Amino acid sequence: MENNLVVQSNDLILATYTMQKTDKELMLACISQIDSRPDAPQVTQDTEFKVSADDIKSLFFGKNSKNEQNIYRDIENASKRLYDVDIVMSLPENKTLQTRLVSSIVYDPDNGEVALSFASRILPYLTQLKANFTKYKLLEIGELSSIHSIRMYELMVMWVNQFQYSKEFSLEEFKHVMSVKDKYKQFGQLKARVIETAINDINENTNYRVSVEYKKKSRGKGYTGLTLRFHKKTLDKLTSKDGTLSPSAIQSIVDSVQFMNDYNDHPSISYEGKQHIDVFKREMVHIIQREPESFNKPKKGLESYLPKVKQGS
């Protein structure tokens, strides 16, 4: 199960709902069992997805685990809470969808197992997906220690797939997208319990690097917003002194004639990109940031195309 893909519509990624960490883990363990491809077998509100306490323990109880002995109690409580979860989602034409997440949950205390069925109004955001969805492997979030870390990670993966590598928010916008709109009235609490906790957790335990810059009020003390910047750790050698990804370094790589010769056959380059230099460069900027691990030809890693720094300079 740990290698299963978690695939969700971007509308569901952006939906607001309140969950605890174990609730989210149980939800994702079930979603990872769904084949979301358009030609996959149909999933209905009667289709059950089973997750055991042993599954949750093996997937999410890593080095951050402190309460492994309570897993049976935790999974039972999580199953009860999930049944009451409301999903609020923005729809076209200024409409709003409010729906239950699940249609039924069966808890088996003797085997420590949950059988969950998703609500009919949620299934279109989990199945038969053709576009505008986000996917990641379940193991990528296995070491994260908070619900806020998991949510920020999902959002970052979605943004990177949309060719966005930084996001600017007002504090209210950030609280909304992180589903904490009615919590943390004081900025210090928001910073300590949500922002810094999630960033440190992601930086330590995932394949992404995140940094934050706070926007101060024009007058007086306090802050009005923040900007998140993020990139895959594979690109760490292409970062600036402040730890953020260097656009000039990536541009230098795609401008390299040798790089063009070596990677003109990259599987993610379009036919037009293979035929026209300007299209190749434009597409490669995004491909490098989305899938830097794909540039793995022997002795042809991305950093090998950077200008050599002269000794003593």
Side-chain angles (χ1 to χ4, degrees):
M1 184 182 291
E2 67 179 13
N3 287 314
N4 284 17
L5 285 175
V6 175
V7 186
Q8 305 170 73
S9 162
N10 290 342
D11 291 325
L12 182 55
I13 293 284
L14 290 169
T16 57
Y17 49 83
T18 301
M19 284 187 192
Q20 296 184 26
K21 178 173 177 283
T22 308
D23 310 355
K24 180 80 169 183
E25 291 168 345
L26 182 57
M27 167 188 164
L28 295 178
C30 291
I31 290 176
S32 74
Q33 299 174 45
I34 297 176
D35 187 341
S36 62
R37 293 173 296 183
D39 58 349
Q42 185 179 13
V43 177
T44 72
Q45 66 175 359
D46 296 320
T47 306
E48 288 188 335
F49 300 94
K50 294 184 178 181
V51 179
S52 69
D54 287 340
D55 291 332
I56 296 295
K57 184 168 60 177
S58 64
L59 290 170
F60 301 108
F61 279 67
K63 61 186 178 181
N64 291 315
S65 174
K66 295 180 180 179
N67 297 307
E68 184 174 340
Q69 68 272 20
N70 297 323
I71 182 61
Y72 284 87
R73 180 204 65 193
D74 291 345
I75 194 174
E76 179 180 11
N77 291 338
S79 67
K80 293 177 181 178
R81 289 191 298 265
L82 272 183
Y83 187 74
D84 293 325
V85 167
D86 274 337
I87 303 290
V88 180
M89 190 182 308
S90 297
L91 299 178
E93 300 178 356
N94 201 32
K95 296 179 181 179
T96 300
L97 169 65
Q98 183 173 4
T99 178
R100 284 280 187 91
L101 172 67
V102 301
S103 60
S104 67
I105 294 180
V106 177
Y107 178 67
D108 177 359
D110 294 331
N111 296 304
E113 185 177 76
V114 172
L116 180 153
S117 298
F118 288 100
S120 59
R121 293 301 299 265
I122 285 294
L123 288 175
Y125 302 97
L126 297 173
T127 64
Q128 308 291 311
L129 299 178
K130 298 179 180 179
N132 299 318
F133 58 84
T134 295
K135 63 181 180 180
Y136 59 86
K137 289 184 178 180
L138 196 57
L139 62 84
E140 294 174 21
I141 60 161
E143 294 285 353
L144 294 178
S145 61
S146 81
I147 181 67
H148 306 310
S149 307
I150 297 174
R151 183 159 182 84
M152 186 180 287
Y153 185 87
E154 288 183 331
L155 289 166
M156 285 194 314
V157 175
M158 180 189 71
W159 291 327
V160 168
N161 287 339
Q162 296 173 341
F163 313 130
Q164 300 180 69
Y165 314 107
S166 67
K167 290 291 290 187
E168 184 176 352
F169 303 95
S170 69
L171 292 183
E172 289 307 310
E173 289 170 341
F174 179 79
K175 290 173 69 175
H176 176 77
V177 79
M178 290 293 290
S179 290
V180 293
K181 188 175 182 180
D182 298 323
K183 299 180 179 179
Y184 308 113
K185 303 297 183 181
Q186 301 297 319
F187 173 75
Q189 293 179 329
L190 179 69
K191 179 180 178 182
R193 299 180 185 178
V194 179
I195 304 171
E196 300 291 350
T197 293
I199 288 176
N200 292 338
D201 204 7
I202 289 170
N203 286 344
E204 182 178 353
N205 295 303
T206 76
N207 55 346
Y208 275 85
R209 184 87 61 201
V210 196
S211 62
V212 61
E213 180 180 350
Y214 297 105
K215 183 179 180 181
K216 294 183 178 180
K217 291 182 177 179
S218 56
R219 294 183 179 181
K221 297 181 180 180
Y223 297 87
T224 61
L226 64 136
T227 299
L228 296 176
R229 295 183 176 85
F230 34 88
H231 64 267
K232 288 192 173 182
K233 289 179 179 175
T234 313
L235 294 173
D236 276 353
K237 292 183 179 180
L238 308 184
T239 56
S240 303
K241 291 182 179 180
D242 62 359
T244 59
L245 193 61
S246 169
S248 61
I250 292 180
Q251 192 62 50
S252 176
I253 291 171
V254 302
D255 286 341
S256 166
V257 174
Q258 188 61 55
F259 174 77
M260 195 177 308
N261 292 336
D262 291 340
Y263 284 103
N264 194 49
D265 60 347
H266 194 283
S268 295
I269 278 288
S270 68
Y271 175 79
E272 187 179 4
K274 293 178 180 180
Q275 304 300 315
H276 303 282
I277 293 176
D278 58 334
V279 179
F280 174 89
K281 292 182 178 181
R282 185 169 64 249
E283 291 184 3
M284 268 301 179
V285 167
H286 296 304
I287 294 171
I288 286 173
Q289 298 196 59
R290 282 189 292 117
E291 44 188 291
E293 63 280 353
S294 65
F295 297 89
N296 54 11
K297 294 183 178 181
K299 298 182 180 180
K300 295 178 181 179
L302 291 171
E303 65 275 9
S304 68
Y305 300 98
L306 292 172
K308 299 296 185 292
V309 178
K310 296 181 179 179
Q311 295 295 326
S313 61

